[in-house]
Amino acid sequence: MVLVSVPEQTMHVYRNGIRIGRSSISTGSKGNATPGGVFSILEKKQEHYSKKYDNAPMPNMQRLTWTGIAMHSGNLPGYPASHGCIRMPFDFSQLLFRETSNGGTVVVGDGKTPVPHFASNPGLMLAPKDFTPQMLRPLANNDYDRNPERSPTGPVTIVVSGADRAAYVYRNGSPIGRAAVEMEGRGSLGDQVYSLLEGTTDRESSLALGRAARRWMAVTSRGRSVPAEKIAGRLRLNPEFAQKVYDTIQPGTTVIITDQPVVRSRGNAAILEG
């Protein structure tokens, strides 16, 4: 999990809830601000040259959008100076490149956009073309679709939408499943981001019955942070689907909770844009 603070011009890297790295950075200059939000790593190239900015070298490039935002090695003058990318010292960019993988989560806090604001990110969009015809049919209560063969390996991200009454599962940036979700209690879910840690607790999982509850780190939220177990206690979904997801997730899995809709046509302004 990579956390970027634009106001502080710093980057923090976490593994299993423990900070394993910290670096100064340089983000977008005035008029070229680095967007805030939740991103996934779309592409990694150790040697890369910008097609958008006069073939400028971008060593250890990790792409966050297809519109020119990436993390890479570059000049750090001590203030925001890029065209929107996140520059790092060369040595740190090498270390980070070795630790991350495609589909990994990067959270950028810009001090203006409440995080999580879901970023323009092809790795996290659920657009109609991403689904098989079966996975586009309406979901009834307790219903689910699952196609793990669409992406057999890679980091897992789960998006739970209160507006859609659905949970969506990605692996390596590709949607591999979805399930209808019922919500109990009053009030919205809020917008939250959680990262799965190693180990379990002494309680039973609220969703995968008969299994031990997993350990989660609250990464960031809009407003007051809500413990993961409190959110999980309000959700109900197909028990078989819950068991399969329980067996799929690994430490580092990201769960995004939102009150906003996720699946939208490309003709509309998407929350998670493809």
Side-chain angles (χ1 to χ4, degrees):
M1 177 72 67
V2 178
L3 305 182
V4 174
S5 171
V6 172
E8 296 179 359
Q9 293 290 280
T10 58
M11 173 186 291
H12 300 264
V13 184
Y14 288 83
R15 184 197 293 136
N16 195 36
I18 298 172
R19 191 175 73 181
I20 62 170
R22 178 182 182 276
S23 176
S24 57
I25 58 172
S26 180
T27 56
S29 60
K30 187 175 182 180
N32 298 288
T34 301
V38 181
F39 300 80
S40 66
I41 297 170
L42 306 175
E43 178 187 29
K44 297 178 59 176
K45 293 177 67 176
Q46 282 190 296
E47 185 175 342
H48 181 73
Y49 296 88
S50 173
K51 296 179 181 178
K52 190 173 182 180
Y53 299 112
D54 300 321
N55 211 36
M58 301 169 66
N60 301 310
M61 187 276 295
Q62 303 191 57
R63 185 183 300 280
L64 302 182
T65 78
W66 295 113
T67 56
I69 305 300
M71 303 185 295
H72 61 84
S73 170
N75 180 41
L76 275 70
Y79 52 84
S82 77
H83 288 97
C85 286
I86 300 166
R87 298 178 185 173
M88 301 171 283
F90 181 76
D91 289 350
F92 188 85
S93 72
Q94 286 184 309
L95 295 171
L96 183 66
F97 194 93
R98 290 201 292 264
E99 294 296 334
T100 61
S101 58
N102 285 348
T105 301
V106 178
V107 180
V108 179
D110 62 1
K112 300 175 183 178
T113 305
V115 176
H117 165 80
F118 300 105
S120 296
N121 183 350
L124 287 181
M125 168 59 176
L126 288 174
K129 81 175 190 66
D130 294 324
F131 291 99
T132 63
Q134 178 188 4
M135 289 181 71
L136 279 174
R137 65 182 176 81
L139 287 170
N141 288 343
N142 213 37
D143 199 4
Y144 75 92
D145 294 310
R146 188 169 177 268
N147 297 98
E149 69 282 356
R150 298 189 74 200
S151 185
T153 61
V156 174
T157 300
I158 301 171
V159 182
V160 178
S161 167
D164 294 347
R165 293 293 196 273
Y168 307 94
V169 183
Y170 296 88
R171 186 157 53 201
N172 202 28
S174 297
I176 62 170
R178 61 173 186 151
V181 172
E182 296 181 44
M183 296 192 307
E184 297 183 349
R186 295 183 177 182
S188 61
L189 294 174
D191 292 330
Q192 314 281 338
V193 179
Y194 302 99
S195 180
L196 180 61
L197 307 178
E198 292 181 351
T200 58
T201 72
D202 57 1
R203 299 184 301 276
E204 183 181 17
S205 169
S206 301
L207 298 173
L209 301 181
R211 314 290 288 274
R214 309 293 278 267
R215 298 176 58 243
W216 296 90
M217 176 180 73
V219 177
T220 186
S221 67
R222 178 178 298 166
R224 184 173 58 89
S225 178
V226 179
E229 57 269 22
K230 186 173 182 179
I231 293 287
R234 294 188 56 193
L235 306 179
R236 295 292 178 267
L237 66 160
N238 185 289
E240 182 178 354
F241 181 83
Q243 295 284 345
K244 293 181 183 298
V245 170
Y246 187 98
D247 291 332
T248 299
I249 60 178
Q250 300 289 336
T253 291
T254 302
V255 173
I256 299 171
I257 306 292
T258 179
D259 293 316
Q260 303 178 65
V262 171
V263 175
R264 293 191 175 190
S265 70
R266 291 182 182 274
N268 295 328
I271 301 302
L272 300 171
E273 184 184 359

PDB file of all heavy atoms in Angstrom, residues 95-115:
ATOM      1  N   LEU A  95      13.895   0.744  -5.304  1.00  0.00           N
ATOM      2  CA  LEU A  95      13.404  -0.110  -4.215  1.00  0.00           C
ATOM      3  C   LEU A  95      11.902  -0.308  -4.310  1.00  0.00           C
ATOM      4  O   LEU A  95      11.395  -1.424  -4.154  1.00  0.00           O
ATOM      5  CB  LEU A  95      13.782   0.510  -2.867  1.00  0.00           C
ATOM      6  CG  LEU A  95      15.279   0.601  -2.555  1.00  0.00           C
ATOM      7  CD1 LEU A  95      15.509   1.434  -1.300  1.00  0.00           C
ATOM      8  CD2 LEU A  95      15.870  -0.792  -2.392  1.00  0.00           C
ATOM      9  N   LEU A  96      11.166   0.777  -4.559  1.00  0.00           N
ATOM     10  CA  LEU A  96       9.711   0.677  -4.651  1.00  0.00           C
ATOM     11  C   LEU A  96       9.300  -0.192  -5.829  1.00  0.00           C
ATOM     12  O   LEU A  96       8.366  -0.990  -5.729  1.00  0.00           O
ATOM     13  CB  LEU A  96       9.095   2.066  -4.784  1.00  0.00           C
ATOM     14  CG  LEU A  96       7.569   2.113  -4.809  1.00  0.00           C
ATOM     15  CD1 LEU A  96       7.003   1.675  -3.459  1.00  0.00           C
ATOM     16  CD2 LEU A  96       7.071   3.517  -5.152  1.00  0.00           C
ATOM     17  N   PHE A  97       9.999  -0.049  -6.949  1.00  0.00           N
ATOM     18  CA  PHE A  97       9.678  -0.829  -8.139  1.00  0.00           C
ATOM     19  C   PHE A  97       9.755  -2.323  -7.851  1.00  0.00           C
ATOM     20  O   PHE A  97       8.945  -3.108  -8.341  1.00  0.00           O
ATOM     21  CB  PHE A  97      10.642  -0.456  -9.268  1.00  0.00           C
ATOM     22  CG  PHE A  97      10.216  -0.933 -10.628  1.00  0.00           C
ATOM     23  CD1 PHE A  97       9.468  -0.118 -11.465  1.00  0.00           C
ATOM     24  CD2 PHE A  97      10.567  -2.201 -11.077  1.00  0.00           C
ATOM     25  CE1 PHE A  97       9.064  -0.559 -12.715  1.00  0.00           C
ATOM     26  CE2 PHE A  97      10.180  -2.654 -12.320  1.00  0.00           C
ATOM     27  CZ  PHE A  97       9.418  -1.829 -13.156  1.00  0.00           C
ATOM     28  N   ARG A  98      10.737  -2.719  -7.041  1.00  0.00           N
ATOM     29  CA  ARG A  98      10.901  -4.146  -6.708  1.00  0.00           C
ATOM     30  C   ARG A  98       9.808  -4.648  -5.775  1.00  0.00           C
ATOM     31  O   ARG A  98       9.505  -5.842  -5.758  1.00  0.00           O
ATOM     32  CB  ARG A  98      12.274  -4.375  -6.076  1.00  0.00           C
ATOM     33  CG  ARG A  98      13.432  -4.222  -7.055  1.00  0.00           C
ATOM     34  CD  ARG A  98      14.668  -4.930  -6.548  1.00  0.00           C
ATOM     35  NE  ARG A  98      15.238  -4.291  -5.368  1.00  0.00           N
ATOM     36  CZ  ARG A  98      16.236  -3.407  -5.408  1.00  0.00           C
ATOM     37  NH1 ARG A  98      16.753  -3.045  -6.575  1.00  0.00           N
ATOM     38  NH2 ARG A  98      16.710  -2.885  -4.299  1.00  0.00           N
ATOM     39  N   GLU A  99       9.219  -3.747  -4.977  1.00  0.00           N
ATOM     40  CA  GLU A  99       8.249  -4.186  -3.968  1.00  0.00           C
ATOM     41  C   GLU A  99       6.820  -4.259  -4.490  1.00  0.00           C
ATOM     42  O   GLU A  99       5.998  -4.984  -3.946  1.00  0.00           O
ATOM     43  CB  GLU A  99       8.286  -3.233  -2.764  1.00  0.00           C
ATOM     44  CG  GLU A  99       9.577  -3.255  -1.970  1.00  0.00           C
ATOM     45  CD  GLU A  99       9.844  -4.593  -1.315  1.00  0.00           C
ATOM     46  OE1 GLU A  99       8.882  -5.333  -1.041  1.00  0.00           O
ATOM     47  OE2 GLU A  99      11.024  -4.907  -1.098  1.00  0.00           O
ATOM     48  N   THR A 100       6.494  -3.479  -5.514  1.00  0.00           N
ATOM     49  CA  THR A 100       5.105  -3.390  -5.963  1.00  0.00           C
ATOM     50  C   THR A 100       4.829  -4.358  -7.109  1.00  0.00           C
ATOM     51  O   THR A 100       5.734  -4.973  -7.662  1.00  0.00           O
ATOM     52  CB  THR A 100       4.782  -1.960  -6.438  1.00  0.00           C
ATOM     53  OG1 THR A 100       5.647  -1.637  -7.544  1.00  0.00           O
ATOM     54  CG2 THR A 100       4.967  -0.950  -5.322  1.00  0.00           C
ATOM     55  N   SER A 101       3.539  -4.447  -7.473  1.00  0.00           N
ATOM     56  CA  SER A 101       3.128  -5.272  -8.607  1.00  0.00           C
ATOM     57  C   SER A 101       1.930  -4.612  -9.267  1.00  0.00           C
ATOM     58  O   SER A 101       1.252  -3.773  -8.668  1.00  0.00           O
ATOM     59  CB  SER A 101       2.787  -6.694  -8.160  1.00  0.00           C
ATOM     60  OG  SER A 101       1.762  -6.674  -7.181  1.00  0.00           O
ATOM     61  N   ASN A 102       1.657  -5.001 -10.497  1.00  0.00           N
ATOM     62  CA  ASN A 102       0.480  -4.488 -11.198  1.00  0.00           C
ATOM     63  C   ASN A 102      -0.771  -4.783 -10.378  1.00  0.00           C
ATOM     64  O   ASN A 102      -0.928  -5.888  -9.851  1.00  0.00           O
ATOM     65  CB  ASN A 102       0.351  -5.126 -12.572  1.00  0.00           C
ATOM     66  CG  ASN A 102       1.344  -4.570 -13.566  1.00  0.00           C
ATOM     67  OD1 ASN A 102       1.993  -3.565 -13.309  1.00  0.00           O
ATOM     68  ND2 ASN A 102       1.476  -5.228 -14.699  1.00  0.00           N
ATOM     69  N   GLY A 103      -1.666  -3.802 -10.288  1.00  0.00           N
ATOM     70  CA  GLY A 103      -2.879  -3.964  -9.492  1.00  0.00           C
ATOM     71  C   GLY A 103      -2.734  -3.488  -8.066  1.00  0.00           C
ATOM     72  O   GLY A 103      -3.716  -3.415  -7.335  1.00  0.00           O
ATOM     73  N   GLY A 104      -1.499  -3.164  -7.637  1.00  0.00           N
ATOM     74  CA  GLY A 104      -1.296  -2.654  -6.289  1.00  0.00           C
ATOM     75  C   GLY A 104      -1.969  -1.306  -6.099  1.00  0.00           C
ATOM     76  O   GLY A 104      -2.190  -0.556  -7.050  1.00  0.00           O
ATOM     77  N   THR A 105      -2.288  -0.976  -4.855  1.00  0.00           N
ATOM     78  CA  THR A 105      -3.064   0.228  -4.556  1.00  0.00           C
ATOM     79  C   THR A 105      -2.180   1.400  -4.167  1.00  0.00           C
ATOM     80  O   THR A 105      -1.252   1.262  -3.369  1.00  0.00           O
ATOM     81  CB  THR A 105      -4.062  -0.045  -3.415  1.00  0.00           C
ATOM     82  OG1 THR A 105      -4.925  -1.113  -3.813  1.00  0.00           O
ATOM     83  CG2 THR A 105      -4.900   1.182  -3.105  1.00  0.00           C
ATOM     84  N   VAL A 106      -2.483   2.569  -4.742  1.00  0.00           N
ATOM     85  CA  VAL A 106      -1.806   3.821  -4.408  1.00  0.00           C
ATOM     86  C   VAL A 106      -2.883   4.840  -4.044  1.00  0.00           C
ATOM     87  O   VAL A 106      -3.794   5.099  -4.829  1.00  0.00           O
ATOM     88  CB  VAL A 106      -0.975   4.345  -5.597  1.00  0.00           C
ATOM     89  CG1 VAL A 106      -0.318   5.675  -5.238  1.00  0.00           C
ATOM     90  CG2 VAL A 106       0.073   3.326  -6.020  1.00  0.00           C
ATOM     91  N   VAL A 107      -2.812   5.391  -2.849  1.00  0.00           N
ATOM     92  CA  VAL A 107      -3.762   6.396  -2.382  1.00  0.00           C
ATOM     93  C   VAL A 107      -3.064   7.747  -2.360  1.00  0.00           C
ATOM     94  O   VAL A 107      -2.034   7.910  -1.703  1.00  0.00           O
ATOM     95  CB  VAL A 107      -4.308   6.060  -0.981  1.00  0.00           C
ATOM     96  CG1 VAL A 107      -5.296   7.125  -0.525  1.00  0.00           C
ATOM     97  CG2 VAL A 107      -4.973   4.692  -0.971  1.00  0.00           C
ATOM     98  N   VAL A 108      -3.614   8.716  -3.098  1.00  0.00           N
ATOM     99  CA  VAL A 108      -3.032  10.051  -3.174  1.00  0.00           C
ATOM    100  C   VAL A 108      -3.953  11.029  -2.450  1.00  0.00           C
ATOM    101  O   VAL A 108      -5.114  11.210  -2.840  1.00  0.00           O
ATOM    102  CB  VAL A 108      -2.842  10.505  -4.637  1.00  0.00           C
ATOM    103  CG1 VAL A 108      -2.251  11.921  -4.684  1.00  0.00           C
ATOM    104  CG2 VAL A 108      -1.944   9.532  -5.387  1.00  0.00           C
ATOM    105  N   GLY A 109      -3.458  11.641  -1.402  1.00  0.00           N
ATOM    106  CA  GLY A 109      -4.198  12.682  -0.696  1.00  0.00           C
ATOM    107  C   GLY A 109      -3.687  14.044  -1.135  1.00  0.00           C
ATOM    108  O   GLY A 109      -2.511  14.356  -0.942  1.00  0.00           O
ATOM    109  N   ASP A 110      -4.569  14.835  -1.751  1.00  0.00           N
ATOM    110  CA  ASP A 110      -4.122  16.133  -2.263  1.00  0.00           C
ATOM    111  C   ASP A 110      -4.511  17.302  -1.370  1.00  0.00           C
ATOM    112  O   ASP A 110      -4.253  18.461  -1.701  1.00  0.00           O
ATOM    113  CB  ASP A 110      -4.644  16.365  -3.680  1.00  0.00           C
ATOM    114  CG  ASP A 110      -6.166  16.410  -3.767  1.00  0.00           C
ATOM    115  OD1 ASP A 110      -6.822  16.285  -2.710  1.00  0.00           O
ATOM    116  OD2 ASP A 110      -6.680  16.556  -4.880  1.00  0.00           O
ATOM    117  N   GLY A 111      -5.130  17.020  -0.230  1.00  0.00           N
ATOM    118  CA  GLY A 111      -5.515  18.087   0.681  1.00  0.00           C
ATOM    119  C   GLY A 111      -6.773  18.822   0.267  1.00  0.00           C
ATOM    120  O   GLY A 111      -7.268  19.671   0.994  1.00  0.00           O
ATOM    121  N   LYS A 112      -7.315  18.490  -0.906  1.00  0.00           N
ATOM    122  CA  LYS A 112      -8.523  19.128  -1.416  1.00  0.00           C
ATOM    123  C   LYS A 112      -9.613  18.100  -1.662  1.00  0.00           C
ATOM    124  O   LYS A 112     -10.764  18.299  -1.305  1.00  0.00           O
ATOM    125  CB  LYS A 112      -8.219  19.870  -2.715  1.00  0.00           C
ATOM    126  CG  LYS A 112      -7.177  20.964  -2.584  1.00  0.00           C
ATOM    127  CD  LYS A 112      -6.838  21.566  -3.938  1.00  0.00           C
ATOM    128  CE  LYS A 112      -5.750  22.609  -3.824  1.00  0.00           C
ATOM    129  NZ  LYS A 112      -5.368  23.164  -5.144  1.00  0.00           N
ATOM    130  N   THR A 113      -9.231  17.006  -2.302  1.00  0.00           N
ATOM    131  CA  THR A 113     -10.188  15.959  -2.615  1.00  0.00           C
ATOM    132  C   THR A 113     -10.349  15.045  -1.420  1.00  0.00           C
ATOM    133  O   THR A 113      -9.371  14.475  -0.956  1.00  0.00           O
ATOM    134  CB  THR A 113      -9.699  15.111  -3.813  1.00  0.00           C
ATOM    135  OG1 THR A 113      -9.448  15.983  -4.910  1.00  0.00           O
ATOM    136  CG2 THR A 113     -10.727  14.068  -4.197  1.00  0.00           C
ATOM    137  N   PRO A 114     -11.568  14.892  -0.871  1.00  0.00           N
ATOM    138  CA  PRO A 114     -11.743  13.942   0.215  1.00  0.00           C
ATOM    139  C   PRO A 114     -11.388  12.541  -0.283  1.00  0.00           C
ATOM    140  O   PRO A 114     -11.850  12.103  -1.321  1.00  0.00           O
ATOM    141  CB  PRO A 114     -13.239  14.042   0.555  1.00  0.00           C
ATOM    142  CG  PRO A 114     -13.668  15.355  -0.004  1.00  0.00           C
ATOM    143  CD  PRO A 114     -12.823  15.569  -1.230  1.00  0.00           C
ATOM    144  N   VAL A 115     -10.535  11.864   0.426  1.00  0.00           N
ATOM    145  CA  VAL A 115     -10.126  10.518   0.046  1.00  0.00           C
ATOM    146  C   VAL A 115     -10.954   9.528   0.851  1.00  0.00           C
ATOM    147  O   VAL A 115     -11.096   9.667   2.044  1.00  0.00           O
ATOM    148  CB  VAL A 115      -8.620  10.320   0.322  1.00  0.00           C
ATOM    149  CG1 VAL A 115      -8.196   8.894   0.033  1.00  0.00           C
ATOM    150  CG2 VAL A 115      -7.797  11.299  -0.508  1.00  0.00           C
TER     151      VAL A 115
END
